[in-house]
Amino acid sequence: IAFGIAYMILRYSVPEYQVSSKFFVKEKDNPFSLFESAGLNMGASGEMELENQMIILKSRPIANATLERLNFDVEYYKQGRFLETEVYQNTAIAVEVDWTYPQLTNGDLLIRWNDQQNFTVSYVEESYLQIFPDSDNRNKLENPKSPNQTFQFNKWVELPMNRFKVGLTSAEPSGEMIIRLRDRHGLINHYTGEDLQIASMDKKSTILNLTINTQRPEKGRDYLNTLQEVYLENELQEKNTMATNTIEFIDAQLVVLSDSLMFIENRLENFRSNNSIYDLSSEGTAIFEQLKELEN
């Protein structure tokens, strides 16, 4: 009985994988390095900086920028005998969602086709989460009614609670696939939650170990790679902004100094003109000789 239960669990449970990546965070120049060389302990500041970078990597803005580059807003599943298996890439259909339109999310939609021109859409879940564009309102909708009509591939599906376009990427004359729409707010919560873990490899190192739990290893790999790319680009943009601000500050100071020098030069020219002095050094020497004669 125990072996039978174990077999059933292993056979019909969706496997979960852990994808990991190592990420080197370059230490920023420390203004207290002079004091560190003198023997003062400033290690706490380095640890705090590393903690800050870990928080940034797991922040919502970075997750949002990462998801903007990935097509994670539509999940594809294939129905097995007992389980739904997620299919990532190389899917039989490709769905484009109009997120400027209200959508039913977090539930399965069955796409079925019997030829390469038309398909049907069925709501197979008892409840869905309805979201609205540019709004935080989310309503739970129970037992939505499936449309009694067919739709054409590569044409917008106009429904009261959904708007999307389905493209057929397979040569199969018939088939079916389950899609699940994921709103951005829910995706950000998922990829900044407990499934993503960030920790230091060693107390004395600045190498971070990023791990994520996922049912599709390829999907986890793509997210971690894109996350690190976004982080690096964000750091580069920050450095460029600092450099630009520094140059603008120097240029502004040069303008102020130029104005001051111009003002002083004008005063000097006026002094020379009013006193008929054009060579201060020679005129000063002559006056000094006259002064000596008067003293004698």
Side-chain angles (χ1 to χ4, degrees):
I1 293 174
F3 278 118
I5 294 174
Y7 172 79
M8 295 293 291
I9 292 176
L10 295 176
R11 177 65 180 82
Y12 298 109
S13 294
V14 179
E16 191 171 84
Y17 303 88
Q18 187 178 80
V19 183
S20 63
S21 174
K22 294 179 178 61
F23 186 62
F24 171 64
V25 179
K26 185 178 180 180
E27 292 187 64
K28 296 183 178 181
D29 296 333
N30 190 353
F32 298 102
S33 57
L34 178 63
F35 300 99
E36 289 182 356
S37 61
L40 296 178
N41 183 15
M42 300 296 294
S45 62
E47 294 180 2
M48 184 180 299
E49 178 64 29
L50 189 61
E51 290 286 342
N52 292 339
Q53 302 309 314
M54 293 166 61
I55 294 174
I56 292 174
L57 274 168
K58 205 173 179 180
S59 64
R60 297 181 67 87
I62 294 295
N64 182 59
T66 302
L67 292 170
E68 285 182 352
R69 304 187 184 186
L70 299 168
N71 297 321
F72 285 3
D73 56 344
V74 181
E75 297 176 349
Y76 304 86
Y77 293 88
K78 191 172 183 180
Q79 181 64 54
R81 181 176 298 179
F82 296 100
L83 295 174
E84 294 178 357
T85 304
E86 184 178 1
V87 181
Y88 181 66
Q89 299 175 340
N90 301 322
T91 56
I93 58 175
V95 178
E96 179 183 352
V97 183
D98 182 7
W99 291 107
T100 63
Y101 192 86
Q103 302 286 351
L104 291 185
T105 63
N106 297 0
D108 293 347
L109 280 72
L110 179 62
I111 308 295
R112 182 182 288 114
W113 65 96
N114 294 319
D115 54 59
Q116 294 188 344
Q117 286 77 35
N118 303 297
F119 65 93
T120 60
V121 178
S122 301
Y123 297 108
V124 297
E125 296 282 356
E126 294 183 356
S127 64
Y128 293 84
L129 184 65
Q130 187 177 25
I131 65 169
F132 301 89
D134 301 328
S135 175
D136 294 332
N137 294 334
R138 286 168 170 78
N139 299 331
K140 189 175 182 181
L141 189 62
E142 303 287 345
N143 298 317
K145 186 178 180 180
S146 300
N148 296 321
Q149 63 184 106
T150 60
F151 304 94
Q152 292 183 354
F153 285 110
N154 301 315
K155 296 290 183 66
W156 286 106
V157 176
E158 302 280 354
L159 296 173
M161 296 164 291
N162 283 108
R163 187 174 191 269
F164 54 84
K165 184 191 297 184
V166 179
L168 184 63
T169 59
S170 173
E172 299 177 3
S174 62
E176 65 178 32
M177 180 159 284
I178 297 172
I179 65 171
R180 187 176 300 165
L181 307 185
R182 298 290 304 274
D183 66 293
R184 180 62 58 84
H185 182 78
L187 284 173
I188 292 176
N189 289 339
H190 174 73
Y191 285 101
T192 56
E194 296 181 356
D195 286 337
L196 177 63
Q197 298 293 330
I198 303 176
S200 176
M201 294 290 296
D202 188 83
K203 292 183 178 180
K204 298 182 179 180
S205 72
T206 59
I207 299 178
L208 300 178
N209 186 35
L210 285 69
T211 60
I212 188 170
N213 298 326
T214 176
Q215 296 179 3
R216 301 299 303 178
E218 303 88 354
K219 197 172 184 179
R221 176 199 61 198
D222 290 346
Y223 182 81
L224 290 183
N225 288 338
T226 308
L227 174 66
Q228 294 168 94
E229 291 174 2
V230 169
Y231 173 86
L232 292 175
E233 292 178 6
N234 184 68
E235 286 289 299
L236 180 60
Q237 183 179 1
E238 181 181 349
K239 292 179 180 179
N240 290 338
T241 302
M242 293 178 61
T244 302
N245 293 339
T246 302
I247 294 174
E248 291 178 353
F249 174 77
I250 293 175
D251 290 341
Q253 294 301 311
L254 288 176
V255 170
V256 174
L257 291 176
S258 299
D259 293 341
S260 300
L261 290 175
M262 185 69 68
F263 174 74
I264 294 173
E265 185 177 4
N266 291 335
R267 291 187 61 186
L268 180 60
E269 291 294 335
N270 293 333
F271 176 80
R272 287 174 174 175
S273 300
N274 295 332
N275 296 276
S276 300
I277 298 175
Y278 299 97
D279 189 346
L280 291 178
S281 59
S282 60
E283 293 286 346
T285 302
I287 293 175
F288 183 72
E289 292 294 335
Q290 293 178 8
L291 182 61
K292 289 178 62 177
E293 292 179 0
L294 291 174
E295 288 180 353
N296 291 332

